[in-house]
Amino acid sequence: MTSTEETLSNLSKEDRRFEPPEELAADANVRAEAYDRAAQDREAFWAEAAERLHWDRTWDQVLDWSNPPFAKWFVGGTINAAYNCLDRHVENGLGDRVALHWIGEPEDDTRSVTYAELKDEVCQAANALTELGVQKGDRVAIYMPMILETVVAMLACARIGAPHTVVFGGFSSDALATRVVDCGVKVVITADGGYRRGAPSALKPAVDEARAKVKEQGGEVEKVLVVKRTGQDVDWDDDVDVWWNDTVGEASTEHACEFFDSEHPLYVMYTSGSTGKPKGILHTTGGYLVGAAFTHWEVFDLKPETDVYWCTADVGWVTGHSYLVYGPLANAATGVIYEGTPDTPEKGRWWKIVQDLKVSIFYTAPTAIRSFMKQGQEIPDRYDMSSLRVLGSVGEPINPEAYVWYRHVIGKDKTPVVDTWWQTETGSIMISPLPGVTAGKPGSAMNPLPGIGADVVTEEGESVPNGSGGYLVLTEPWPSMLRTIWGDDERFVDTYWSKYKEQGWYFAGDGAKKDEDGDLWVLGRVDDVMNVSGHRLSTTEIESALVSHPKVAEAAVVGAKDEDTGQAVCAFVILKDEAGDGGEDIVEELRKHVRKEIGPIATPRQIMIVPELPKTRSGKIMRRLLRDVAENREVGDVTTLADSSVMDLISDGMSSGK
Ligand code: 6R9
């Protein structure tokens, strides 16, 4: 065995298996036969999925792939996303069903809206936007807290055919201005502020600043529509600023919607590339909605009549788009949307929401799970969470220990965990177990969903054998695929389609491996794969080994330049509260542990015990910054960190020799 193979086979030693619960399997929305059916005729499979939606005019052609990589799905069909998420449910007699339970951060600040109520509000907002001069094709930026009006704003834009670009409320005025300029935004929808960590947090001042910056760059925001949420003071420009409550609140609830071409742009979502300015990922209407709605029903085994579904993602990133707004509402689900932080006013806030609303499907990120592990099991144990039946994970590889903890402590060992791999670019889940079909393996996203083609390949484009690693590619076009990067077709082609041009595959930028059974393990971004003395090591693999130590809550690993070995493993570790400072020999203890778990090659050169890790707002660890610390460099640009003071904490710890 070469050392690389050794590393991979070590990862495969995870042999815990969790069979689907019998009851769930017996009544599952999607069965094993779907894989075969989709493989026999992929387009027919997607056409059937598309029939779940209402089309004003049916398509003439399922897929036009005559000009790859520019796809057209459901060609000739006409559709309206808001009509599909609201009107048709009301017309089908579901108007009284709760569409969303909104939970504000201040306790008792809640509101549940039915499908009929949400439809009325979206119609009002659509009329108000039209009144403000927004027309089909104009772009609208949404810079909001997690409140119902945010969902109303998105659907109102969709209703009138004005693509929205939601900018995460935690982003700076600079980030907002860049996106407004790049997307040519005409109107911004915002709020005075929102509640975070027990206090109002202002948003409007950042919009004012961004508007000035946009002007400097030759652009212009014509109107700013402001929701009153916190009641805090705001500066006001009478020519531009308009109160939501005065316009939307006064508008008619009657709005006849237009049906748009299937390929009409629905939204642009910016995501950071490894270099350069953020990429505006363009999603269009028909294919995107098919992908989001179908996979939401399929992967979570949604039973819209009885389930209460909660996705904790912020609407400012793609998970919030596909699995908080478009997918669930298109499926007439009852959802939950929570405004605040997980630990306000107390650490059990999320679990209290699960208990009070009897949440049955819960979708969150590994980073959140690990922070709950850190706080200890006693906190979730205080709540009755017996309503839960499916748990989901997204955003980064889930460490086997975190998976097992999630299943055991939150799911009481009776809920399947679906580890869902996808990207802003893919629009919907691509690789995931099916909860009624697949036996789950902790840490593995398992198989491409029916209708999705994925493989792990070598640099040269050869499919790797089981037991080996390589690059993750998507081998067939899919309905919710990105159509381009806004305003930059060339970058779209270069970034995703040039590496495997000959084969016509989509290059995801992730490393992955196939285990001995052929199941997929996503190892993280390709740039997170380290090379130590010529051996390929995954950051995730070593992080998982560290997290499996009883004293460790969370770990981040980077490859730092090393004179001897090319790169060396450097680990940043947060200890569990109950572990105190870990004891005098903690670093040696952890190095030994990694050696035992993976092998000597993976032993960290350095282990630093830190209080926090630098994360982006969507919860991804920014390894680039940790690499700066590990390589004793000035720490780089921290503007996309959720909390930029974290780097000071880490650097202070370093210089005091901890
Ligand atoms: C949905 C979302 C995409 C990147 C992706 C990968 C990582 C997401 C994952 C996962 C392992 C999973 N990622 N889900 N890695 N297992 N289940 O997160 O979109 O913000 O665009 O990030 O996140 O590296 O390439 P986005």
Side-chain angles (χ1 to χ4, degrees):
M1 249 197 211
T2 68
S3 305
T4 313
E5 283 162 355
E6 218 161 61
T7 310
L8 290 168
S9 71
N10 278 331
L11 234 185
S12 316
K13 76 178 183 293
E14 172 59 61
D15 54 8
R16 287 169 287 193
R17 295 284 179 280
F18 299 105
E19 294 294 331
E22 262 169 45
E23 211 180 309
L24 198 157
D27 191 30
N29 287 349
V30 176
R31 315 289 169 95
E33 61 76 36
Y35 292 101
D36 295 335
R37 198 153 40 84
Q40 271 161 24
D41 191 341
R42 194 179 302 274
E43 289 185 21
F45 180 83
W46 285 119
E48 196 188 308
E51 278 159 18
R52 303 173 55 75
L53 301 180
H54 171 87
W55 298 79
D56 195 52
R57 183 183 184 282
T58 310
W59 55 90
D60 306 310
Q61 191 186 0
V62 175
L63 167 66
D64 176 359
W65 193 233
S66 59
N67 180 29
F70 299 93
K72 289 188 183 145
W73 280 88
F74 308 109
V75 186
T78 62
I79 188 164
N80 185 296
Y83 179 89
N84 270 283
C85 290
L86 303 167
D87 306 46
R88 71 174 172 133
H89 304 322
V90 176
E91 286 161 19
N92 289 339
L94 303 176
D96 292 339
R97 180 179 293 172
V98 172
L100 283 166
H101 292 289
W102 174 74
I103 313 288
E105 192 184 82
E107 280 180 298
D108 302 325
D109 191 359
T110 63
R111 188 181 160 214
S112 298
V113 283
T114 64
Y115 274 94
E117 289 164 344
L118 194 59
K119 170 182 170 275
D120 284 352
E121 285 184 35
V122 167
C123 287
Q124 287 186 300
N127 285 323
L129 285 172
T130 308
E131 195 72 8
L132 289 177
V134 180
Q135 294 175 358
K136 173 180 168 181
D138 289 341
R139 275 83 62 205
V140 175
I142 299 178
Y143 184 67
M144 298 271 265
M146 288 279 280
I147 56 178
L148 282 173
E149 287 82 352
T150 312
V151 179
V152 172
M154 290 166 76
L155 292 172
C157 287
R159 192 170 185 97
I160 61 174
H164 55 70
T165 183
V166 181
V167 179
F168 178 69
F171 275 140
S172 63
S173 60
D174 264 338
L176 176 60
T178 315
R179 287 156 175 77
V180 164
V181 169
D182 188 75
C183 208
V185 162
K186 190 166 176 177
V187 167
V188 177
I189 307 178
T190 189
D192 48 359
Y195 286 92
R196 289 201 72 78
R197 301 199 167 82
S201 157
L203 280 172
K204 175 73 166 47
V207 178
D208 298 341
E209 279 172 42
R211 208 153 58 74
K213 288 173 187 162
V214 170
K215 240 191 198 135
E216 280 164 24
Q217 296 171 53
E220 169 141 40
V221 173
E222 291 179 17
K223 292 284 173 197
V224 177
L225 190 52
V226 189
V227 177
K228 191 174 270 178
R229 161 70 186 128
T230 56
Q232 61 204 120
D233 281 342
V234 288
D235 286 343
W236 205 253
D237 179 339
D238 283 329
D239 294 334
V240 178
D241 296 328
V242 189
W243 283 113
W244 171 282
N245 309 52
D246 295 345
T247 50
V248 177
E250 297 299 313
S252 159
T253 54
E254 296 295 318
H255 183 272
C257 73
E258 188 187 332
F259 292 90
F260 305 109
D261 187 89
S262 177
E263 285 297 333
H264 187 72
L266 181 62
Y267 70 81
V268 178
M269 171 95 248
Y270 284 85
T271 177
S272 42
S274 43
T275 51
K277 62 171 191 174
K279 301 175 280 194
I281 304 300
L282 174 68
H283 284 292
T284 59
T285 311
Y288 171 78
L289 202 61
V290 170
F294 180 73
T295 54
H296 177 252
W297 175 81
E298 168 187 48
V299 171
F300 299 105
D301 189 49
L302 177 81
K303 306 285 192 263
E305 304 76 27
T306 46
D307 275 320
V308 177
Y309 164 85
W310 184 15
C311 164
T312 66
D314 194 282
V315 281
W317 65 304
V318 75
T319 306
H321 282 51
S322 301
Y323 297 108
L324 195 148
V325 178
Y326 289 108
L329 294 176
N331 288 330
T334 293
V336 178
I337 172 170
Y338 170 57
E339 177 183 33
T341 39
D343 49 1
T344 307
E346 26 96 27
K347 286 178 176 164
R349 183 76 197 267
W350 273 16
W351 314 128
K352 183 165 188 319
I353 294 172
V354 170
Q355 170 181 280
D356 291 352
L357 291 175
K358 298 197 166 43
V359 171
S360 56
I361 305 174
F362 183 71
Y363 192 30
T364 195
T367 178
I369 299 166
R370 289 191 304 259
S371 74
F372 292 122
M373 283 173 79
K374 176 168 175 252
Q375 292 161 6
Q377 171 166 358
E378 333 55 90
I379 295 168
D381 278 355
R382 283 182 214 140
Y383 301 89
D384 173 7
M385 296 195 278
S386 54
S387 52
L388 288 170
R389 64 179 202 94
V390 179
L391 300 176
S393 170
V394 60
E396 52 175 327
I398 180 164
N399 325 83
E401 288 324 306
Y403 177 111
V404 171
W405 187 91
Y406 190 29
R407 201 189 133 88
H408 177 65
V409 175
I410 305 302
K412 298 284 173 270
D413 288 322
K414 67 180 178 64
T415 55
V417 172
V418 287
D419 174 9
T420 63
W421 178 88
W422 61 293
Q423 307 176 301
T424 304
E425 291 88 341
T426 69
S428 62
I429 300 169
M430 299 282 105
I431 305 178
S432 168
L434 288 178
V437 177
T438 321
K441 290 180 190 173
S444 169
M446 303 301 290
N447 314 116
L449 291 175
I452 299 300
D455 201 357
V456 182
V457 301
T458 63
E459 189 74 40
E460 291 73 36
E462 273 164 44
S463 181
V464 306
N466 288 353
S468 299
Y471 296 117
L472 182 62
V473 293
L474 297 173
T475 55
E476 301 286 343
W478 65 100
S480 64
M481 65 200 285
L482 77 164
R483 297 304 193 261
T484 190
I485 292 175
W486 185 261
D488 202 343
D489 286 349
E490 200 179 311
R491 191 174 177 197
F492 166 64
V493 175
D494 284 354
T495 311
Y496 306 107
W497 304 93
S498 61
K499 191 169 173 76
Y500 297 108
K501 187 168 188 280
E502 225 171 277
Q503 297 86 347
W505 295 336
Y506 169 88
F507 172 60
D510 279 321
K513 71 162 194 118
K514 291 181 199 164
D515 66 16
E516 294 301 338
D517 304 322
D519 295 321
L520 300 179
W521 297 66
V522 179
L523 301 172
R525 301 297 303 178
V526 194
D527 37 12
D528 293 339
V529 175
M530 294 171 293
N531 193 317
V532 180
S533 306
H535 309 297
R536 243 200 213 184
L537 289 173
S538 143
T539 51
T540 310
E541 183 187 10
I542 302 174
E543 286 163 8
S544 290
L546 285 163
V547 174
S548 73
H549 188 282
K551 289 183 187 165
V552 174
E554 184 154 14
V557 165
V558 296
K561 276 205 193 67
D562 186 283
E563 274 190 2
D564 296 330
T565 56
Q567 278 187 314
V569 179
C570 291
F572 295 77
V573 169
I574 305 180
L575 297 178
K576 285 188 184 149
D577 289 351
E578 76 235 25
D581 68 358
E584 220 177 290
D585 299 326
I586 182 71
V587 167
E588 205 35 52
E589 197 178 318
L590 294 178
R591 296 182 81 223
K592 260 196 208 135
H593 180 72
V594 174
R595 200 172 312 146
K596 178 172 89 19
E597 289 289 302
I598 306 176
I601 179 72
T603 314
R605 179 185 74 184
Q606 247 174 316
I607 294 184
M608 293 166 254
I609 308 295
V610 293
E612 288 291 343
L613 289 170
K615 285 182 191 153
T616 64
R617 276 129 180 149
S618 61
K620 292 187 176 54
I621 295 169
M622 288 194 75
R623 293 193 175 72
R624 175 171 62 80
L625 299 179
L626 293 175
R627 222 170 283 133
D628 288 343
V629 174
E631 295 178 351
N632 298 316
R633 263 194 313 273
E634 186 84 345
V635 172
D637 183 7
V638 296
T639 50
T640 56
L641 280 180
D643 176 359
S644 54
S645 62
V646 165
M647 284 319 290
D648 297 335
L649 281 175
I650 294 174
S651 303
D652 289 352
M654 298 294 95
S655 50
S656 66
K658 269 190 212 155

